[in-house]
Amino acid sequence: MNLQLIVEQMLNGMVLGSMYALVASGLTLIWGTMKMLNFAHGELYMIGGYVLYFVLLLFGVHPFWGVLLAVLIAFALGVLMERTILHPLLDKPGWDVSPIVVTLGVSIFLQNFALKVWGERFKNVPYFIEGTMDLSGFRIAYQRILILIVAATVMVGFWLYVKRSRFGMALRATAQDREAATILGIDSHRIYLMTFGISSALAALAATMLAPLFLVNPWMGIPLLLKAFIVVVLGGLGSFGGAILGGFLLGCIESLAIVFLSSEWKDVAAFLVLIGFLVFKPAGFFGTKEW
Amino acid sequence: MLEIKNIDAFYGDAQALWDVSLIVKEGEIVTLLGANGAGKSTTLRTISGLLKPKKGSISLSGVRLDRIEPYQIILHGLSHVPEGRRLFPNMTVWENLSVGAYIPPAWKDRSGAIEEMMEIFPTLRERKDQLAGTLSGGEQQMCAIARAMISRPRIILLDEPSLGLAPVIVERIFEVIERINHKGVTVLLVEQNAHIALQIAHRGYVIETGHVVMEGEANRLNQDEYIKQAYLGL
């Protein structure tokens, strides 16, 4: 074991962690505005992977177009899901549980849909950019650098959007006090639609970036959703900053577990940290924060 | 200007308003007096669409407010400062005021409107980057009134602006309410503090257990024996 290996693994951990952060910020966004958990989040991620795969397979265009289409389709699916299955449950008794039941249903449906229609074989997506960068002895694949750049850009952009734009302010206002927002002219249903769309788009974006590293398959969303839940617990449910910090932290913990133990231990380490947080710091780094 | 005709309103199965009617004319300050739980806030919530009346009608300059979506009501020039202020606690004062300018006609001119409000409430300027949740009660009330005024409404509904505030602060807030009214904004003011409300109001209504039991000019209500006993503590 040497320093080079540790640094390389930490970098890989950050790469993976940045994607955990993207997936988790979608979860936390929905929790922050609607106080519900979306169990189909992982399947929106999966759809993102498949869209990229099929665009590359059928049209042979630059992966950029595949990513763009995946994000747009996931956005539309998120909006459709909110409108068709969640909207009717809003403001009805049982909101604590009903979204879990219906989104779990969607999750099962989409997994089996993918299995039936696209088959059980794992699909391979090529790297967007081949090659490895050599930084005075430390090697990192260009694909991974690309992931980091995309993650940083999207997170900063999203943060600014939520912080500064008219829509972002309306979103935070709705999250903090829906009735007060309504009085001021904000249509909360429109905010919820957009929230679902953006959340799903973030998941799909993460899937397209990770598709070359992992393989596209009907179950690819399951581990990611679990990881995203861990991240959200570490960071504090509903906190955007927490999702980002938690994402990077989890990525690094997993890499360190790989270096010092073995790759079989990485999930054990991740869940041990989760259990530790649940016992000693159940509110996470930033507590349950509203937007 | 604002005309409420024979409304019945319910919370679930429990009826909260019975056949409530009231009129607010352009340029007036009208106060709605009543004890805790009499239906004052419910009346305001029904006007601003947060509660749909089962019966009756609410119209603002001829527009049926009870037939449009709650979030569209502010577009017709009606603003509501709800009970308990209901600021967005994790947003700064400036952000709260900006959300007040959410509707498209107000958004373009928001810095001008925010500036105007900060003239009226200088403390808000000092606190502009502070989270609204950390303000004192008086500052929160000022911020809530300012937020409702940013969209330049024609009529403003105020729900217990004096609640929980020190008398000095209450006086300042009521001065501002009068000032807003002088600028041409019609005011419907809900208050438990009948004394101060009748000082600035032109007319008043008294509501008890969901029924309007009395109405009249403010100075006449001030002299009324029943009001004196039940609401002014004289």
Side-chain angles (χ1 to χ4, degrees), chain A residues 113-231:
Chain A
F113 176 87
L115 177 61
K116 196 80 191 150
V117 177
W118 299 321
E120 60 183 2
R121 201 164 294 172
F122 285 35
K123 318 278 193 209
N124 211 339
V125 173
Y127 275 38
F128 299 172
I129 320 172
E130 290 296 341
T132 315
M133 196 167 70
D134 205 317
L135 266 175
S136 55
F138 302 122
R139 280 170 299 122
I140 179 165
Y142 283 123
Q143 176 77 23
R144 291 175 191 261
I145 295 174
L146 178 71
I147 290 178
L148 276 178
I149 292 171
V150 167
T153 312
V154 168
M155 282 186 271
V156 170
F158 179 64
W159 188 80
L160 285 176
Y161 183 58
V162 168
K163 214 68 187 162
R164 301 279 167 80
S165 73
R166 175 168 171 266
F167 173 79
M169 291 213 194
L171 185 149
R172 286 190 293 146
T174 305
Q176 290 175 35
D177 191 330
R178 182 172 162 206
E179 258 188 19
T182 303
I183 294 174
L184 296 172
I186 299 167
D187 177 4
S188 56
H189 291 143
R190 216 184 120 243
I191 300 286
Y192 292 163
L193 280 178
M194 290 291 289
T195 302
F196 249 84
I198 294 171
S199 165
S200 309
L202 288 174
L205 177 66
T208 56
M209 300 312 290
L210 288 179
L213 272 50
F214 302 133
L215 298 168
V216 173
N217 66 79
W219 309 280
M220 67 193 277
I222 301 170
L224 246 293
L225 184 69
L226 276 176
K227 296 291 161 65
F229 276 133
I230 300 180
V231 166

Side-chain angles (χ1 to χ4, degrees), chain A residues 183, chain B residues 1-4 22 24 28 30 32 40-50 58 60 65 73-74 77-83 85 141 144-145 148-149 153-161 177 180 185-191:
Chain A
I183 294 174
Chain B
M1 179 180 206
L2 178 66
E3 201 173 349
I4 292 132
L22 53 96
V24 184
E28 275 189 319
V30 170
L32 183 58
K40 306 185 299 294
S41 297
T42 308
T43 308
L44 294 197
R45 290 171 58 81
T46 314
I47 296 170
S48 60
L50 297 175
I58 301 166
L60 178 68
L65 297 186
I73 287 179
I74 193 170
L78 184 140
S79 225
H80 181 177
V81 182
E83 190 179 15
R85 291 109 199 189
Q141 188 61 58
I145 294 175
M149 289 293 299
R154 293 183 295 143
I155 177 167
I156 184 165
L157 314 182
L158 294 161
D159 199 338
E160 301 242 26
I177 296 172
I180 288 171
V185 180
T186 308
V187 176
L188 176 55
L189 168 69
V190 152
E191 259 303 331

Side-chain angles (χ1 to χ4, degrees), chain B residues 74-123:
Chain B
I74 193 170
L75 291 168
H76 295 277
L78 184 140
S79 225
H80 181 177
V81 182
E83 190 179 15
R85 291 109 199 189
R86 306 286 288 270
L87 295 176
F88 306 113
N90 294 329
M91 294 171 90
T92 64
V93 168
W94 187 84
E95 287 174 331
N96 266 276
L97 298 181
S98 301
V99 178
Y102 177 77
I103 57 170
W107 185 255
K108 268 182 269 160
D109 178 35
R110 67 188 185 286
S111 15
I114 291 175
E115 191 52 41
E116 259 174 58
M117 279 300 127
M118 287 180 169
E119 296 283 311
I120 297 179
F121 298 110
T123 21

